[in-house]
Amino acid sequence: VIFRFQAANSSPILYSGSRLWSDCVNKRRVIIGGVLAVAIITTAIIVWVKSRPNQTPGGPSAGGVTVVTAAGQDPVSLDPAKLADTESSPFVSAVFAPLALVNPAGELVYVLAESVEMSADAMQATVVLRANAKFSDRSPVTAADVRWSLERVFRMHPQRYVLERVAGIKDATSATVHAAGFQIVNDRTLVVRFDRPDPEWPRLIATTFAGIVKSGSDEGPKLPLDRGLIGAGPFKLKDVEPGHKYLFERNPGFPLDHGLASLEIRILANEQEMARQAESGGLNLLRVRGNLVREIAVRQGASLQLRPGFRKKRLERLAGQDLLFLRINWQDAAFKDVPPERRRAWADALGASIDRAALAEKLYLSTAVPASTVVPSSGAAISPPAGGSGGPITTGTKIELVTGAVGELRQVSDLVASNLRSGALTMQVDVRLLPIGDLIQRLFAPNYQVALLWLESNLSPPGLSWGTFFTPGGISALAEPLPQTPAMLDAARSTADPAKRQLLLAGLLDDINRTQTALVPLVRREAVYLVGDELSGPGADFNGIQQFSLLGAKR
Amino acid sequence: LSPAANEDFAATRLLAAILRRLVVYALFLLILHAALFSIFLALPSAAATIAGMRGVDPEFRQRIRHELGEDLSWMQRYGNHLARCAQLDFGETLRGSFPVGALLKRGLARSLPLFAAVGVGALAGAVTPLWLSVPRRSWRRWKRVIGESFLLPPFVLAAVAYALFRWLSQDMPLDAQAPLRWCIALLAAAAFPFVLTAGLATPVCDELAASRFTQTYRAIGLSWPVIRLRLLRNLWQILLPGLARVMLLAILSTAFIEWLFDINGFGALALRAFVSVDFNLMFACCMVAGALVMLFSAAERWQAE
């Protein structure tokens, strides 16, 4: 391109494009002008963005309320019989519903069952299913499905003890061989006979892993998340983006009228991002754990107040069944020479060095309370077995404290280590934060000295569930197997008279608190939920665990 | 040799060189596979982790070990694993049992815009100092700023970008934030390679600007833009060997950006694999990263040869 310039009364001057740029244009002015233009445009965009009105998604739509919540990671599986971790629990509870659940008030709420009646001698239960309970493929939930699901739980789930008293359950080794104790009366009625009294059975199976699955739906090809299994929960899995989000649509066959249209669970490993999305209205339901409490609320006297940014939301606090504790590994070389009669005294001394009140107040903003006993106490005075402190563990002992590199545990472990270093024992403490998988490996090996752990009970009723942590085998590696607990647990479980059963359970709990030596209780944490105003509640059970079957829209 | 024979000889040598290079790369991948397999075999296995989470019941543990093929001998497992990897089947994830290959494919596709931004940033970082260096005396102050800015670590740039995003989006509905999120993430992804390559290119450009052929270009009447274009070719030749490493570093920084901006790409996938100790996913991510290293080193090697 040639540019031609000609002034009046003069000959023309020809320029090529590049000569024009290099000889005639003030480049500095062009660049300064360009920068100014970019700055003006950027400012205009910012002003436009900031002046846009705020909108809140997740509100009521034509088909009901959309629930948007967040989880820290993907579920292991949606199969209730494979449920082992509390992270997977909300996903499973969205798709599968059990016969009943226990609400935060401790009452049995029937979900798929219309009733579960126990006989007076607690040797038989009659389950009547709701007539309108249907799976997500529109087929009705039948007694055969309930039998198939419960037998499957017994075959596959480690907490099979909830079904161990059903007559002949051990013979149900495959899907075609059934326990003699299950008798199908008609499509809606199942009679369950026990070989020993089991009065708490309806509450024992009122849990997520006892969710009802359509019989035979596990026979297809194996799919990710075991999503081929058909449930009768409030939602049906619609779409998955692993590591990002899970979309669920309403199951029209769910028998309870919850008024919810759909569910979205976002995977957000970053707690800050969780708080940010909740603040900007992106989430209308969120379990607030540990450090997240500080992000969304401030302490005002005895109560917690939401920060101003969290509009149209409220905080709901449930007691939960949770314990943060230290686990001492007496088998470790550093401790194995401590005589058993001195262990409890030493564990108590360890606990006394830790400022539990400061832990509850500073780290949890009062959403936790100091714990003086390992399991909930009946109120009776605890007198631990006699035995002095001292022995091989003395002041200045060096220990390694292991814990999971998750949530607020790094702050808790720092505070505990600081207390132990400066307390009466003046211990030398090395803190090691481990990925959860490694922590589990070391717990079960066992290869640790002291571990900072937490228990989130996902069972009911609480007396029996706490007892299982102190029964040899299974998950007792997290707590401590006590030799007398199985017999006491068995006696309490078998007693048909409610008052006497409560007395035996209280005795069991007191015995655990009195005799255990390996656990140092720190705090009991509440289950705290951030709930949108369009929802009636957090939809949690009495353990504080998310149960979408209990969630509903505000009427 | 006759010209025809000479051509044949050259073609044969070229073919041999390509084949030799392919064999070296195949060997590299085999060694990488064997090393990763050994490391992951020595670590506490995924099966044991799952079994641990479900209690210590030996029956459960045995069944899961069988499902994952961990009850076979070491050699059998290695052979099976190698055969599956050759078919790009990296197994399933620990959480959710998703096919790792499909996840990788989706993650890489989602990261493509960020990788492109990295490329654009690196190219702009190479070109900018040249534009500022030639003519030699212009923009000296800016050159110094850009030349020293490569000392900024990528996470500082990403953190600044994230703070900007938070500030801009605090009153926006979440769905409306997606375009803004992507724009700022792309800018952040481009910023790091930009400052890195600009830092590397600045002294080279100064030398080029002072070189005799630049003066010759000027003397024969070439305009500055034309001179810059010619110098860019020289600059490219000089920077190419180092560019592969720059790109790899920059790609690593995209993992951080993906995590920060909640973008579900390859980097976020790799981070998740390591955080959740997902062995199959970790293995696959390492293999992809190894293949990328090989790809960049191939380009570098090719240029050298």
Side-chain angles (χ1 to χ4, degrees):
Chain A
V1 178
I2 301 297
F3 295 89
R4 182 174 182 277
F5 292 86
Q6 184 170 20
N9 304 322
S10 64
S11 55
I13 306 168
L14 302 180
Y15 280 101
S16 70
S18 56
R19 279 295 295 278
L20 187 72
W21 169 255
S22 59
D23 292 0
C24 300
V25 177
N26 186 329
K27 291 179 282 298
R28 195 163 297 209
R29 284 186 185 175
V30 169
I31 291 173
I32 290 170
V35 169
L36 281 175
V38 169
I40 289 166
I41 292 167
T42 310
T43 310
I45 291 172
I46 290 171
V47 168
W48 173 72
V49 164
K50 305 288 280 183
S51 62
R52 288 185 62 171
N54 185 33
Q55 297 164 15
T56 306
S61 62
V65 171
T66 294
V67 182
V68 188
T69 186
Q73 51 185 337
D74 294 284
V76 174
S77 165
L78 292 182
D79 187 347
K82 291 183 182 172
L83 179 63
D85 60 324
T86 46
E87 284 283 356
S88 301
S89 187
F91 297 86
V92 177
S93 80
V95 181
F96 299 94
L99 295 174
L101 285 165
V102 182
N103 70 11
E107 301 155 344
L108 200 64
V109 177
Y110 292 112
V111 183
L112 295 185
E114 192 173 276
S115 66
V116 182
E117 295 292 337
M118 290 299 297
S119 63
D121 60 356
M123 290 293 284
Q124 182 174 304
T126 304
V127 179
V128 179
L129 295 168
R130 290 182 192 270
N132 58 344
K134 288 183 178 155
F135 289 108
S136 55
D137 68 348
R138 308 292 173 96
S139 61
V141 179
T142 64
D145 295 315
V146 175
R147 178 181 66 179
W148 185 84
S149 303
L150 296 181
E151 287 174 347
R152 192 166 173 271
V153 166
F154 185 78
R155 282 197 302 275
M156 294 175 65
H157 202 276
Q159 287 158 30
R160 56 170 71 185
Y161 76 90
V162 300
L163 290 155
E164 70 188 359
R165 294 190 175 185
V166 175
I169 189 81
K170 287 175 184 163
D171 301 330
T173 51
S174 70
T176 52
V177 183
H178 302 295
F182 287 124
Q183 185 191 347
I184 295 173
V185 177
N186 58 42
D187 271 358
R188 286 181 53 209
T189 311
L190 178 74
V191 172
V192 185
R193 278 196 294 275
F194 305 103
D195 47 21
R196 300 182 61 205
D198 203 1
E200 294 283 8
W201 187 76
R203 294 167 72 92
L204 281 173
I205 58 161
T207 182
T208 318
F209 68 75
I212 303 304
V213 183
K214 184 175 180 178
S215 57
S217 61
D218 65 344
E219 288 166 3
K222 188 179 183 306
L223 295 175
L225 292 167
D226 295 305
R227 64 185 292 186
L229 295 177
I230 298 168
F235 299 102
K236 176 188 176 187
L237 185 62
K238 183 182 173 190
D239 194 21
V240 176
E241 194 178 331
H244 199 58
K245 63 182 172 187
Y246 289 68
L247 297 174
F248 299 84
E249 60 188 357
R250 180 183 186 152
N251 169 22
F254 184 64
L256 305 182
D257 181 18
H258 50 59
L260 304 174
S262 58
L263 167 70
E264 180 180 334
I265 303 181
R266 295 181 180 156
I267 308 298
L268 301 171
N270 186 338
E271 284 178 344
Q272 294 263 347
E273 183 65 19
M274 276 189 193
R276 201 187 68 76
Q277 293 204 7
E279 189 177 5
S280 61
L283 306 177
N284 56 4
L285 180 65
L286 181 65
R287 172 96 189 244
V288 183
R289 291 173 184 272
N291 294 328
L292 203 51
V293 178
R294 301 174 161 279
E295 297 286 329
I296 66 163
V298 288
R299 182 86 191 271
Q300 276 195 354
S303 64
L304 281 183
Q305 291 293 320
L306 273 178
R307 290 182 186 274
F310 293 88
R311 289 181 284 267
K312 295 182 182 173
K313 290 186 181 62
R314 64 188 188 277
L315 271 184
E316 292 210 11
R317 299 163 66 175
L318 306 173
Q321 298 291 323
D322 178 287
L323 178 72
L324 193 71
F325 62 98
L326 295 178
R327 168 78 159 95
I328 304 166
N329 176 20
W330 293 114
Q331 296 171 44
D332 185 79
F335 303 142
K336 69 180 179 187
D337 294 333
V338 179
E341 66 275 12
R342 288 186 180 173
R343 287 178 179 173
R344 178 57 182 265
W346 195 81
D348 287 347
L350 193 73
S353 305
I354 297 163
D355 189 352
R356 297 180 175 102
L359 192 64
E361 180 62 33
K362 285 182 187 168
L363 281 177
Y364 291 102
L365 287 184
S366 79
T367 61
V369 290
S372 55
T373 57
V374 168
V375 294
S377 168
S378 68
I382 305 294
S383 51
S389 58
I393 303 173
T394 54
T395 300
T397 301
K398 187 174 180 181
I399 62 164
E400 184 192 58
L401 176 67
V402 296
T403 190
V406 288
E408 76 279 15
L409 289 186
R410 53 183 90 228
Q411 285 94 332
V412 175
S413 57
D414 281 347
L415 199 142
V416 168
S418 163
N419 282 175
L420 292 177
R421 287 182 195 122
S422 60
L425 295 173
T426 56
M427 306 180 92
Q428 299 176 47
V429 185
D430 287 334
V431 177
R432 289 206 63 187
L433 296 164
L434 303 170
I436 293 297
D438 291 356
L439 179 66
I440 291 170
Q441 288 293 313
R442 290 188 59 170
L443 288 177
F444 282 99
N447 176 23
Y448 65 98
Q449 290 180 325
V450 178
L452 172 63
L453 303 174
W454 67 103
L455 277 177
E456 279 185 11
S457 174
N458 194 10
L459 295 168
S460 52
L464 293 181
S465 64
W466 282 113
T468 59
F469 291 116
F470 297 88
T471 304
I475 52 176
S476 67
L478 290 174
E480 180 187 24
L482 298 173
Q484 72 280 15
T485 305
M488 295 180 77
L489 192 63
D490 190 68
R493 185 174 172 180
S494 304
T495 304
D497 178 22
K500 199 175 170 190
R501 188 167 65 246
Q502 284 305 316
L503 207 61
L504 288 171
L505 280 174
L508 168 70
L509 298 180
D510 286 345
D511 182 73
I512 291 170
N513 282 328
R514 193 174 57 81
T515 56
Q516 71 83 26
T517 61
L519 272 59
V520 179
L522 297 177
V523 291
R524 281 183 207 292
R525 299 177 297 188
E526 293 175 353
V528 183
Y529 284 90
L530 183 69
V531 185
D533 283 347
E534 63 272 26
L535 298 173
S536 60
D541 66 9
F542 89 109
N543 291 307
I545 304 276
Q546 187 79 65
Q547 297 287 353
F548 286 107
S549 293
L550 297 177
L551 185 67
K554 196 176 265 184
R555 305 293 178 182
Chain B
L1 294 173
S2 66
N6 200 12
E7 273 179 23
D8 284 350
F9 179 68
T12 311
R13 280 192 62 180
L14 182 64
L15 190 64
I18 291 171
L19 285 175
R20 200 165 51 240
R21 182 71 34 212
L22 286 176
V23 169
V24 168
Y25 292 153
L27 275 174
F28 172 81
L29 284 179
L30 266 177
I31 293 167
L32 181 69
H33 176 270
L36 292 174
F37 186 81
S38 306
I39 291 168
F40 292 142
L41 196 74
L43 283 172
S45 70
T49 304
I50 300 171
M53 286 167 73
R54 292 180 188 174
V56 288
D57 188 332
E59 191 188 325
F60 283 110
R61 188 180 284 255
Q62 187 55 37
R63 199 181 69 220
I64 291 161
R65 285 182 66 82
H66 177 70
E67 278 174 13
L68 296 175
E70 296 225 341
D71 50 353
L72 300 174
S73 72
W74 195 93
M75 285 303 291
Q76 278 176 307
R77 288 176 57 198
Y78 178 74
N80 290 346
H81 198 270
L82 191 61
R84 284 196 289 113
C85 283
Q87 300 165 54
L88 298 180
D89 175 7
F90 295 103
E92 294 171 348
T93 57
L94 178 65
R95 299 191 75 86
S97 308
F98 297 104
V100 170
L103 278 188
L104 275 180
K105 199 172 152 190
R106 192 193 303 208
L108 284 167
R110 186 152 296 183
S111 293
L112 266 182
L114 287 174
F115 289 157
V118 165
V120 170
L123 193 64
V127 170
T128 306
L130 186 71
W131 245 248
L132 299 183
S133 297
V134 182
R136 200 181 168 193
R137 290 188 180 184
S138 66
W139 305 100
R140 184 165 291 172
R141 214 173 295 162
W142 285 102
K143 269 193 308 186
R144 199 182 309 130
V145 171
I146 288 177
E148 287 166 3
S149 61
F150 75 97
L151 294 172
L152 276 175
F155 59 84
V156 172
L157 291 170
V160 169
Y162 186 67
L164 178 69
F165 167 65
R166 287 285 301 264
W167 181 65
L168 289 176
S169 66
Q170 60 187 354
D171 292 330
M172 288 173 80
L174 203 66
D175 293 339
Q177 289 175 13
L180 185 67
R181 178 187 296 262
W182 265 103
C183 286
I184 296 181
L186 288 172
L187 278 175
F192 173 58
F194 176 84
V195 294
L196 200 63
T197 48
L200 290 173
T202 300
V204 179
C205 293
D206 274 347
E207 280 178 31
L208 284 174
S211 62
R212 287 176 63 187
F213 51 80
T214 305
Q215 292 165 22
T216 311
Y217 286 153
R218 189 64 185 152
I220 63 174
L222 292 181
S223 64
W224 286 115
V226 174
I227 293 173
R228 285 176 186 135
L229 279 176
R230 293 194 173 200
L231 292 181
L232 188 61
R233 198 174 52 194
N234 299 37
L235 180 69
W236 178 250
Q237 299 280 339
I238 295 166
L239 290 181
L240 187 63
L243 206 58
R245 290 175 184 84
V246 171
M247 293 296 283
L248 274 173
L249 269 174
I251 286 169
L252 282 177
S253 75
T254 62
F256 182 69
I257 288 163
E258 283 177 8
W259 175 76
L260 205 57
F261 286 88
D262 192 31
I263 293 169
N264 199 20
F266 174 73
L269 193 69
L271 276 177
R272 209 167 69 230
F274 282 88
V275 168
S276 58
V277 200
D278 191 328
F279 293 94
N280 284 345
L281 205 50
M282 281 160 75
F283 190 99
C285 290
C286 289
M287 285 299 287
V288 169
L292 279 176
V293 170
M294 202 182 72
L295 197 70
F296 282 118
S297 70
E300 192 178 316
R301 184 84 189 171
W302 201 269
Q303 201 250 348
E305 284 177 358

